[in-house]
């Protein structure tokens, strides 16, 4: 860092990840950003676009630039010593890849940085590349520089989440992690090429404590990504991908029994076709999916269906310090276009630390464990990104809502926490009831037993534990109806399942200020899944008002109109 300006060379600076890193750092006046790639024309176009007025002052990618931007040509297969000497960066960030395809000396660029005494970091997702970077440790230490490989979602963020959960365990038996990109994110060609390179090929992992071979994009795991306090992503299948975590985890946890890293894309039907193609590679009918990378990328763009939300999870299983079985889940959901920024947040944190003269230790190593989860969470605050941890003690009975909410339980106002505190309890109060007038609405209300319309109706609710669930008996005046509530299982995990007669409604519990919103995420009739857009819904929430528990429940749908709406208050007796 000379003259008060820090020079950052981003190789692949106009690509999917390098470009987003430049956007994150573009407002920093202490930076000189060298946007580099083989095409000087593309680098020029990117810099021009960064400088172009976009409105919305303060938003990422606006023209509120404080950094000095320069487009440069950089060929990683050219004379690296000459190029680096001429550009004189303080830090080189390799955001190009795919690192799986490097041939010959894959560390050629890293060695050149070490020889010139230039710090280096990358977004590598190749197991071999990241795990092998430690071979340059002595050389990097001798030069007094740092070399960090894999400062991305896997393994930097996944290990940060893992380390946040590890203190709860005396022994970790299993670790799984996965990424679920939004269907509307345009995945870069290099990312597709990287995944295609090992589709159907052996992937080293652990099974029953022994080194084993999985198959890329064939082995699977079903997961519901559900950070505490937000509506979860739909349950989906994750297919095995070759990520650095698989090589790094056995050294972190002695006696580890199983490992898995996966990707879960939507629509799942398209992912199923990809899995089928990977099977063709496995049995030898196709040599590789790499020649089809452009077609796979085009298909992912063409079939961008579903909600614009993405996510990530890290799951640990083992024993706590009292010998109880424990499962810990860290989950993340990113809304809209914010998800693709996550892989570069680690680099952003690193650069901002360097600007404050906070350097990592010298040496070459994987970036696993280099940053804390708190570092990432501070970076998440700029985005619509929510994350959190759930701890599930299998031998310990917890109140139903506490199990589902995880650490979001702590956000509940006292009156709501008391109502959902578990055990047998009785609450009473007053309510106002409205009923739908349509024929179908009246028929459904009659089947379930909803009360008649009325003002200032006395209401009592009795909660009784029933196995892992609860029976709610609601009495409005002289009319009583019951529902059974339990935590969803399998694909409905982390949802509240409420059964009214033949109907089973799946609800996400989402704290929002003093309210707890209940959002419909699915429903069944006699066990048969029904379309979500026809599901009964409405503005349903609980809240604390003047220290008292208040409820507002709406049940209705496109076909029925309003079925019932009741609101009021309750006090525990």
């Amino acid at each position: 860092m000379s003259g008060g300006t820090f020079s950052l060379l981003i190789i692949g600076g106009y690509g999917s990840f390098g470009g987003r890193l430049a956007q994150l750092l573009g407002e920093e006046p202490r930076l000189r950003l060298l946007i580099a790639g083989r095409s000087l024309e593309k680098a020029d176009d990117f810099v021009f676009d960064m400088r172009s007025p976009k409105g919305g002052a303060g938003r990422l990618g606006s023209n509120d630039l404080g950094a000095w931007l320069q487009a440069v040509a950089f060929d990683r297969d050219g004379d690296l010593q000459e190029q680096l000497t001429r550009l004189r960066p303080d830090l080189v960030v390799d955001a190009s890849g795919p690192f799986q395809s490097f041939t010959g000396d894959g560390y050629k660029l890293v060695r050149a940085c070490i020889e010139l005494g230039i710090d280096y970091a990358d977004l590598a997702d190749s197991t071999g590349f990241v795990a092998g970077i430690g071979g340059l440790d002595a050389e990097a230490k001798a030069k007094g520089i740092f070399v960090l490989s894999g400062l991305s979602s896997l393994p930097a963020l996944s290990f940060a989440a893992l380390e946040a959960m590890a203190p709860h365990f005396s022994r970790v038996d299993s670790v799984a992690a996965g990424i679920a990109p939004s269907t509307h994110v345009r995945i870069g060609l290099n990312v597709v090429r990287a995944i295609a390179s090992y589709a159907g090929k052996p992937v080293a992992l652990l099974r029953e404590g022994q080194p084993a071979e999985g198959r890329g994009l064939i082995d699977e795991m079903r997961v519901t990504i559900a950070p505490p306090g937000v509506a979860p992503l739909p349950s989906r299948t994750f297919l095995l991908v070759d990520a650095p975590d698989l090589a790094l985890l056995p050294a972190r946890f002695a006696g580890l029994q199983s490992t898995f890293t996966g990707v879960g894309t939507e629509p799942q039907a398209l992912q199923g076709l990809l899995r089928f193609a990977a099977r063709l590679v496995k049995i030898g009918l196709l040599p590789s999916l790499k020649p089809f990378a452009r077609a796979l990328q085009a298909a992912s763009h063409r079939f961008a269906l579903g909600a614009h939300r993405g996510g990530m999870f890290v799951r640990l299983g083992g024993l706590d310090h009292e010998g109880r079985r424990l499962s810990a889940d860290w989950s993340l959901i990113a809304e809209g276009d914010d998800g693709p920024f996550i892989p570069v947040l680690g680099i952003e944190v690193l650069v901002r630390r360097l600007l404050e003269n906070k350097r990592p230790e010298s040496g070459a190593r994987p970036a696993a464990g280099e940053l804390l989860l708190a570092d990432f969470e501070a970076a998440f605050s700029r985005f619509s990104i929510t994350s959190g941890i759930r701890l599930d003690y299998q031998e310990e009975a917890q109140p139903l809502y506490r199990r589902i909410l995880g650490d979001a339980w702590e956000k509940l106002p006292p009156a709501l926490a008391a109502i959902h505190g578990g055990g047998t309890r009785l609450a009473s109060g007053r309510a106002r009831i409205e009923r739908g007038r349509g024929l179908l609405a009246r028929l459904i209300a009659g089947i379930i037993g909803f009360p008649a319309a009325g003002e200032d109706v006395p209401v009592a609710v009795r909660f009784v534990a029933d196995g892992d669930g609860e029976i709610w008996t609601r009495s409005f005046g002289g009319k009583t109806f019951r529902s059974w509530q339990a935590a969803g299982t399998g694909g409905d995990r982390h949802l509240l399942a409420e059964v009214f007669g033949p109907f089973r409604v799946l609800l996400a519990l989402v704290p929002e200020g003093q309210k707890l919103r209940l959002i419909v995420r699915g429903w069944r009739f006699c066990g048969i899944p029904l379309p979500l857009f026809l599901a009964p819904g409405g503005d349903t929430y609980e809240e604390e008002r003047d220290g008292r528990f208040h409820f507002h429940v709406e049940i209705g749908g496109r076909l029925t109109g309003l079925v019932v709406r009741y609101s009021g208050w309750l006090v525990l007796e």
Side-chain angles (χ1 to χ4, degrees):
M1 187 168 176
S2 59
T5 301
F6 186 93
S7 182
L8 172 61
L9 173 64
I10 307 177
I11 301 173
Y14 50 80
S16 297
F17 297 124
R20 288 185 172 92
L21 178 61
Q23 288 182 331
L24 289 178
L25 297 171
E27 85 286 357
E28 176 52 66
R30 293 172 291 177
L31 282 178
R32 172 177 174 245
L33 294 179
L34 302 175
I35 308 301
R38 285 192 172 91
S39 171
L40 181 59
E41 181 182 0
K42 290 182 179 179
D44 268 325
D45 289 343
F46 179 85
V47 170
F48 178 81
D49 184 64
M50 282 279 290
R51 290 173 174 158
S52 299
K54 296 178 176 63
R59 279 296 298 159
L60 297 173
S62 76
N63 61 319
D64 300 336
L65 296 177
W68 186 74
L69 270 68
Q70 180 182 352
V72 299
F74 191 93
D75 184 359
R76 65 183 316 123
D77 296 323
D79 187 339
L80 296 177
Q81 294 272 353
E82 184 278 328
Q83 294 176 89
L84 291 173
T85 301
R86 172 167 44 84
L87 295 172
R88 295 177 292 118
D90 294 297
L91 172 66
V92 170
V93 171
D94 193 348
S96 57
F99 291 82
Q100 288 87 348
S101 66
F102 288 170
T103 57
D105 183 4
Y107 299 117
K108 181 181 177 182
L109 173 61
V110 185
R111 294 182 192 279
C113 289
I114 293 175
E115 289 174 13
L116 295 173
I118 301 171
D119 293 319
Y120 168 93
D122 65 42
L123 298 173
D125 57 356
S126 166
T127 299
F129 188 93
V130 175
I133 201 74
L136 302 174
D137 185 54
E139 298 172 46
K141 285 179 176 176
K143 286 288 187 175
I145 67 166
F146 64 81
V147 171
L148 299 176
S149 185
L151 203 59
S152 185
S153 303
L154 302 172
L157 176 53
S158 56
F159 263 72
L162 178 154
E163 295 296 350
M165 295 184 285
H168 295 283
F169 290 83
S170 64
R171 187 186 81 197
V172 173
D173 297 328
S174 62
V175 179
I179 297 174
S182 166
T183 59
H184 298 273
V185 170
R186 292 188 170 270
I187 300 174
L189 183 58
N190 281 344
V191 175
V192 179
R193 283 174 174 158
I195 295 173
S197 68
Y198 51 75
K201 305 292 181 65
V203 173
L205 42 67
L206 287 180
R207 286 184 182 143
E208 298 180 357
Q210 299 298 318
E213 284 188 350
R215 289 286 172 166
L217 300 188
I218 295 178
D219 292 19
E220 65 178 23
M221 178 179 183
R222 193 161 189 87
V223 175
T224 300
I225 293 181
V230 297
L233 296 182
S235 176
R236 66 185 68 192
T237 297
F238 286 76
L239 301 182
L240 177 67
V241 295
D242 189 13
D245 302 54
L246 297 175
L248 303 176
L249 283 167
R252 173 61 183 85
F253 295 111
L256 189 62
Q257 297 296 299
S258 69
T259 55
F260 179 91
T261 52
V263 62
T265 59
E266 293 282 354
Q268 289 270 280
L270 186 62
Q271 180 174 272
L273 292 176
L274 183 61
R275 188 183 187 207
F276 174 76
R279 288 185 179 277
L280 297 182
V281 174
K282 178 184 177 182
I283 64 178
L285 293 181
L286 287 175
S288 171
L289 294 188
K290 284 183 69 176
F292 305 99
R294 286 191 181 276
L296 293 172
Q297 182 195 33
S300 71
H301 294 172
R302 185 176 184 85
F303 296 99
L305 307 173
H308 195 1
R309 311 174 81 210
M312 180 176 171
F313 79 92
V314 179
R315 177 176 296 173
L316 277 65
L319 298 180
D320 75 347
H321 296 282
E322 297 178 9
R324 297 174 297 177
R325 294 298 308 176
L326 172 62
S327 175
D329 281 274
W330 173 84
S331 300
L332 171 152
I333 286 180
E335 308 291 346
D337 293 323
D338 288 350
F341 283 94
I342 293 172
V344 300
L345 291 181
I347 297 285
E348 184 203 11
V349 171
L350 172 66
V351 172
R352 296 193 185 278
R353 283 185 172 183
L354 291 171
L355 291 175
E356 302 300 326
N357 294 316
K358 299 176 182 177
R359 289 179 52 81
E361 292 183 6
S362 298
R365 58 192 177 276
E370 193 67 29
L371 298 177
L372 301 176
L373 184 58
D375 296 322
F376 285 99
E377 289 174 336
F380 294 163
S381 64
R382 299 176 66 184
F383 303 91
S384 295
I385 296 175
T386 305
S387 66
I389 293 173
R390 298 174 186 272
L391 300 177
D392 182 11
Y393 294 89
Q394 294 181 13
E395 286 85 15
E396 178 181 324
Q398 288 186 323
L400 174 61
Y401 279 53
R402 185 164 193 162
R403 274 186 281 135
I404 295 173
L405 283 168
D407 57 9
W409 171 266
E410 307 302 329
K411 299 178 183 179
L412 289 187
L416 274 65
I419 283 286
H420 299 296
T424 299
R425 55 211 186 276
L426 178 67
S428 60
R430 313 293 291 188
R432 178 178 184 271
I433 306 162
E434 300 174 68
R435 284 278 296 266
R437 298 179 180 178
L439 177 61
L440 187 55
R442 287 186 283 117
L443 178 62
I444 292 174
I447 292 173
I448 295 175
F450 288 137
E455 299 284 342
D456 196 29
V457 177
V459 57
V461 182
R462 184 175 179 81
F463 310 86
V464 178
D466 180 50
D468 290 334
E470 294 183 347
I471 298 174
W472 287 33
T473 304
R474 304 166 178 88
S475 297
F476 291 86
K479 184 69 172 180
T480 298
F481 73 99
R482 293 180 177 85
S483 70
W484 180 76
Q485 295 187 358
T489 59
D492 302 330
R493 194 178 183 203
H494 304 315
L495 296 174
L496 175 71
E498 184 162 20
V499 177
F500 299 91
F503 294 97
R504 182 184 184 92
V505 182
L506 302 164
L507 303 158
L509 305 180
V510 182
E512 185 182 282
Q514 295 297 299
K515 294 182 179 180
L516 176 65
R517 293 199 174 275
L518 289 81
I519 302 171
V520 177
R521 303 296 291 174
W523 67 315
R524 315 272 194 273
F525 177 73
C526 294
I528 302 171
L530 299 175
L532 181 59
F533 75 94
L534 294 177
D539 189 20
T540 298
Y541 59 86
E542 303 168 351
E543 66 176 331
E544 179 174 291
R545 202 185 309 157
D546 299 325
R548 181 184 282 175
F549 175 88
H550 284 254
F551 57 89
H552 181 94
V553 178
E554 287 184 2
I555 299 175
R558 293 174 182 264
L559 298 179
T560 62
L562 177 67
V563 175
V564 69
R565 178 187 296 117
Y566 52 92
S567 58
W569 55 267
L570 292 171
V571 174
L572 279 174
E573 295 185 2

